[in-house]
Amino acid sequence: MHESTRNVDPAELAKFTALAQSWWDPRGPSKPLHDLNPWRLEYLERRAGLSGKQALDVGCGGGILSESMARAGARVLGIDLSQAVLDVAELHALEGKVPALYRAVAAEELAQERPAAFDLVTCMEMLEHVPDPAAIVKALAALVKPGGDIVVSTLNRNATAFAVAIVGAEYIARALPRGTHEYLKFIRPSELARWGRNAGLELRDLTGIVYNPFTRSFRLSPDTRVNYLAHFVLSPARGRA
């Protein structure tokens, strides 16, 4: 797959590449990722389990979630298209002696190379940053083993999400750099569920992530109006097809 045909927005890639050197600063621009990570990890343990799993972290960035999954006993490969953030992830894992591996490759390319190779595939806060999120969901389904788990997190598209994730987080509390998100790229759960069905995935759970931009704290919640996590399982019958 040539660079020009990859499912990537160069402006979005540049945005996250610029954050590479501050990725592991818990007080820097990536602070929300650090604050959110324990809740993501709790959800993964609850829905899929981590110990002994062959796990793939798509859009891994600097490796915050990848490292946590590896520390929990998973065999982790993190992939991203920004070499700068992968360099940071590799160095941090090396310094911390964390057995997480990283690679610069698109999900679609890896799906062709290693189909049905992973017990668990995660894709956190990435779908709303790519031109064709449905194609990413299809790739996730191709990467997971039949009966395996896929966990995605993204942002809902409605007035509440706009008010909290953009106006509140980026402009009032300044918890995120301005321009981090584009409202029209947010994804309704119904859209995500449809892409999953088309890829042979069964939606097992939707759980909201409630963020308070003033206290800058998160918690899991039934409220999916803003951030939410989705747990899919690949149908064994679809996997054998």
Side-chain angles (χ1 to χ4, degrees):
M1 187 179 293
H2 298 293
E3 187 70 34
S4 60
T5 61
R6 280 180 169 174
N7 187 6
V8 60
D9 181 337
E12 293 282 358
L13 194 62
K15 186 188 304 178
F16 292 102
T17 294
L19 298 175
Q21 296 307 312
S22 62
W23 207 278
W24 280 93
D25 180 358
R27 299 177 184 172
S30 296
K31 183 182 186 299
L33 296 179
H34 290 272
D35 294 342
L36 181 56
N37 194 57
W39 299 105
R40 288 176 172 171
L41 199 66
E42 177 184 317
Y43 186 81
L44 290 170
E45 287 281 23
R46 183 199 311 168
R47 299 299 311 181
L50 289 166
S51 182
K53 295 291 181 71
Q54 189 74 37
L56 175 69
D57 188 13
V58 176
C60 65
I64 295 171
L65 179 63
S66 296
E67 277 203 19
S68 295
M69 290 195 294
R71 291 182 186 277
R75 300 184 299 277
V76 180
L77 171 64
I79 65 171
D80 203 284
L81 291 179
S82 171
Q83 188 59 56
V85 296
L86 289 176
D87 289 344
V88 168
E90 289 176 339
L91 179 59
H92 196 273
L94 181 64
E95 291 176 342
K97 298 181 179 179
V98 179
L101 301 176
Y102 297 97
R103 184 177 168 192
V105 64
E108 295 94 332
E109 292 177 79
L110 190 64
Q112 294 178 7
E113 179 186 325
R114 297 182 62 185
F118 300 92
D119 303 301
L120 168 65
V121 178
T122 63
C123 184
M124 305 296 195
E125 304 298 326
M126 185 186 122
L127 292 180
E128 69 272 21
H129 295 287
V130 300
D132 187 357
I136 296 293
V137 174
K138 183 178 179 181
L140 303 181
L143 285 158
V144 77
K145 296 176 182 178
D149 300 286
I150 294 172
V151 175
V152 172
S153 71
T154 189
L155 284 150
N156 205 338
R157 190 172 70 255
N158 55 47
T160 301
F162 179 82
V164 174
I166 295 181
V167 177
E170 296 184 20
Y171 287 84
I172 298 176
R174 298 182 182 179
L176 294 171
R178 290 187 181 184
T180 296
H181 294 114
E182 294 181 41
Y183 172 72
L184 292 179
K185 291 184 177 181
F186 289 3
I187 298 164
R188 294 186 177 122
S190 59
E191 295 167 336
L192 182 59
R194 183 176 71 251
W195 300 336
R197 286 194 303 272
N198 291 341
L201 300 175
E202 177 188 343
L203 180 61
R204 293 284 181 87
D205 180 73
L206 282 175
T207 293
I209 304 169
V210 176
Y211 175 62
N212 186 322
F214 300 101
T215 62
R216 302 187 182 188
S217 61
F218 294 92
R219 62 181 174 85
L220 298 181
S221 165
D223 185 352
T224 60
R225 287 178 299 169
V226 185
N227 295 75
Y228 64 95
L229 288 148
H231 174 217
F232 293 94
V233 172
L234 178 64
S235 165
R238 183 63 175 260
R240 291 193 300 267

